Amino acid sequence: SIARKVHLDATVSFMESEGTLTLPTGEHSTLYLSGRGSYLNLLYGNLLEIDEMQLRYGLQDYNLTFVQQAGAHDKIRLSLYHGQDRMNLLQEDFADENKLNWQNTAAALHWQHHSSRFILQQNATFSRYRNTLDMGISSVSINEAFSPLAGLDLTLNNNMTVKVEYRKTRVLTLSMTAAQLNEACSNDF
């Protein structure tokens, strides 16, 4: 929605903090900035243990959304997101460290048009997911699904909906013992 005044909404807890800043950028546009981060390691680092292994964990999320009322019947929204989680398990007796880190970056552009006969929505999306797994094991599988990667939704006045989607999936299997990477992909309409 289009905001009329600057507003800050924030939450602080024992594990994380988050906040959203709302900035009107004109009579018909608003910018939303959001962020979230954990501080488990800072406050509880010495207390986090699993089976005598020290646990380190942290997360961060950032979100930017710009909304523009482009006319009486048109609204455009641009959304950007980046998030990451990091977890490490350290077993000092064996100098063994297991790591799981992931990052996700996404962007979306939405256009919505209202007319007396129909509502037209068009979306363009982008997503990138990255995962790092180091656990001293023989194989690792990563599943990616973009469902949908791109799509078009059209709702007519008689409530009939027309929907077209492009979906993409990929499975990567890494064998540490055979030094092989296998990939299986599918593309669906």
Side-chain angles (χ1 to χ4, degrees):
S1 66
I2 305 300
R4 301 291 175 226
K5 61 181 182 175
V6 174
H7 179 74
L8 176 64
D9 187 21
T11 304
V12 177
S13 73
F14 291 108
M15 294 191 291
E16 67 182 29
S17 293
E18 59 186 65
T20 299
L21 177 62
T22 303
L23 297 168
T25 56
E27 187 176 331
H28 302 289
S29 60
T30 302
L31 180 67
Y32 297 91
L33 302 167
S34 300
R36 178 175 66 134
S38 70
Y39 32 84
L40 287 170
N41 296 334
L42 180 66
L43 298 177
Y44 309 110
N46 294 332
L47 302 174
L48 298 174
E49 275 192 19
I50 296 176
D51 294 331
E52 298 182 15
M53 294 192 314
Q54 206 170 28
L55 173 68
R56 295 286 183 248
Y57 178 76
L59 66 90
Q60 298 176 359
D61 295 300
Y62 305 101
N63 201 356
L64 178 141
T65 301
F66 178 75
V67 180
Q68 173 75 43
Q69 188 72 43
H73 303 287
D74 296 290
K75 184 183 282 188
I76 298 170
R77 187 176 74 237
L78 173 66
S79 298
L80 305 172
Y81 169 83
H82 179 75
Q84 63 185 20
D85 281 47
R86 295 179 183 198
M87 183 178 76
N88 294 342
L89 283 171
L90 177 62
Q91 191 169 11
E92 293 181 14
D93 295 345
F94 299 104
D96 187 24
E97 186 172 11
N98 302 308
K99 297 178 183 179
L100 174 61
N101 301 318
W102 71 264
Q103 291 184 3
N104 187 21
T105 301
L109 180 61
H110 307 276
W111 171 60
Q112 187 176 62
H113 174 77
H114 292 265
S115 81
S116 60
R117 297 182 4 220
F118 59 87
I119 298 172
L120 177 65
Q121 295 183 34
Q122 292 187 355
N123 302 311
T125 59
F126 165 81
S127 181
R128 178 178 176 213
Y129 178 79
R130 188 171 20 180
N131 186 351
T132 305
L133 179 62
D134 180 8
M135 297 189 73
I137 56 177
S138 61
S139 69
V140 175
S141 291
I142 298 173
N143 299 317
E144 293 178 340
F146 301 103
S147 181
L149 179 61
L152 172 67
D153 293 340
L154 179 64
T155 304
L156 303 175
N157 275 349
N158 62 2
N159 286 331
M160 188 167 99
T161 302
V162 178
K163 187 174 194 174
V164 178
E165 292 183 341
Y166 173 63
R167 300 170 189 234
K168 185 172 185 159
T169 60
R170 180 171 76 158
V171 178
L172 295 170
T173 305
L174 176 63
S175 171
M176 308 292 193
T177 56
Q180 286 183 323
L181 178 65
N182 295 319
E183 178 181 37
C185 298
S186 70
N187 297 310
D188 302 311
F189 286 95

